[in-house]
Amino acid sequence: MAMANNKTHCFICNTEKITYSCEGCSKRFCLTDLTEHQQLLREELNHIINDYDQFKQRINERKQNPQNLQSNSLLKQINQWEIDSIEIIQQRAQNCREIIIKTSETFIYDIEKKFNDLCEQIKQIHKENEFNEINLNYLTHELIDITQELNNPSHISIQRDSQSFINEISIISSKRIEKLYFIRGH
Ligand SMILES: [Zn+2]
Ligand SMILES: [Zn+2]
């Protein structure tokens, strides 16, 4: 019983034996249970290594296909913005084209109407056989006027606005590493 001095209770089997302290958990174990304890720790380490390996595999998979759910969603938003913006531009271009076509039609119609009025006057003069230099002068100048009008339709032009009617988009990043890069870059 004199030997009992250097014996303490083992944390696992609770018997009085020569025990060894584990520095990690500060508990004391008999040699058998210390070996068991170390075996458990080794198994836990293996689990952790396994988790690390799995994580490494996930990174490699991501490298093969870097698009994740979030970037897919962001790309979708950019695509949608592209489609919407193109649609707005096409709509605006179509409106302008329709205005040009309609205006041109009206323009020709107006000139033709003026021309028909003048023809009517010529017919009248011819029929009545009553005219002088004033009439001839008038008819000549009217024809010059409408010829000029037909050749140079200056009543319509295109104006380009410097202000965009498309909603612009940009990418905002709040990642710390990019801020660091930005600071280092300057
Ligand atoms: Zn024990
Ligand atoms: Zn321990």
Side-chain angles (χ1 to χ4, degrees):
M1 293 304 271
M3 292 279 285
N5 268 347
N6 62 351
K7 290 182 181 179
T8 47
H9 286 280
C10 166
F11 178 74
I12 299 295
C13 60
N14 206 27
T15 47
E16 234 179 39
K17 286 184 168 178
I18 297 170
T19 60
Y20 307 88
S21 172
C22 166
E23 290 206 3
C25 60
S26 303
K27 282 162 187 161
R28 300 192 70 86
F29 303 93
C30 68
L31 190 61
T32 313
D33 287 325
L34 182 70
T35 312
E36 181 86 8
H37 183 61
Q38 283 172 337
Q39 182 57 35
L40 285 174
L41 292 180
R42 218 170 283 126
E43 281 170 22
E44 207 177 313
L45 177 65
N46 285 335
H47 279 131
I48 291 167
I49 288 169
N50 197 36
D51 289 345
Y52 268 69
D53 284 346
Q54 278 181 13
F55 188 81
K56 191 182 176 179
Q57 204 175 329
R58 284 182 66 188
I59 285 182
N60 286 338
E61 280 167 16
R62 187 66 60 82
K63 271 158 104 182
Q64 301 290 318
N65 183 20
Q67 289 177 19
N68 58 9
L69 275 178
Q70 198 217 5
S71 58
N72 278 340
S73 154
L74 295 174
L75 289 174
K76 257 185 207 166
Q77 289 179 54
I78 293 168
N79 292 348
Q80 194 55 50
W81 173 84
E82 186 182 27
I83 290 167
D84 291 347
S85 301
I86 289 169
E87 201 179 301
I88 289 168
I89 291 169
Q90 286 177 334
Q91 191 63 52
R92 182 68 67 96
Q94 186 57 27
N95 287 348
C96 290
R97 277 191 291 263
E98 281 168 12
I99 289 168
I100 296 290
I101 290 163
K102 202 162 275 177
T103 308
S104 299
E105 283 170 2
T106 312
F107 174 73
I108 298 289
Y109 176 82
D110 286 349
I111 285 179
E112 196 183 22
K113 196 166 173 286
K114 275 185 202 165
F115 176 71
N116 287 341
D117 285 349
L118 292 169
C119 288
E120 219 30 64
Q121 289 179 50
I122 288 174
K123 258 191 217 165
Q124 202 63 28
I125 286 166
H126 204 241
K127 201 171 125 192
E128 289 169 0
N129 204 23
E130 260 193 10
F131 56 93
N132 56 26
E133 288 89 341
I134 295 168
N135 301 112
L136 296 182
N137 220 358
Y138 167 77
L139 289 170
T140 307
H141 278 101
E142 282 301 298
L143 185 64
I144 289 169
D145 277 0
I146 59 169
T147 304
Q148 266 180 352
E149 212 182 323
L150 186 67
N151 289 342
N152 308 299
S154 59
H155 63 291
I156 195 162
S157 63
I158 303 291
Q159 186 192 314
R160 280 196 179 201
D161 206 329
S162 59
Q163 202 144 5
S164 177
F165 64 100
I166 300 293
N167 293 323
E168 284 192 47
I169 59 164
S170 47
I171 310 295
I172 296 163
S173 174
S174 57
K175 229 177 166 192
R176 198 163 53 95
I177 193 160
E178 301 205 355
K179 278 183 189 166
L180 280 171
Y181 175 77
F182 182 74
I183 291 161
R184 277 186 194 167
H186 278 252

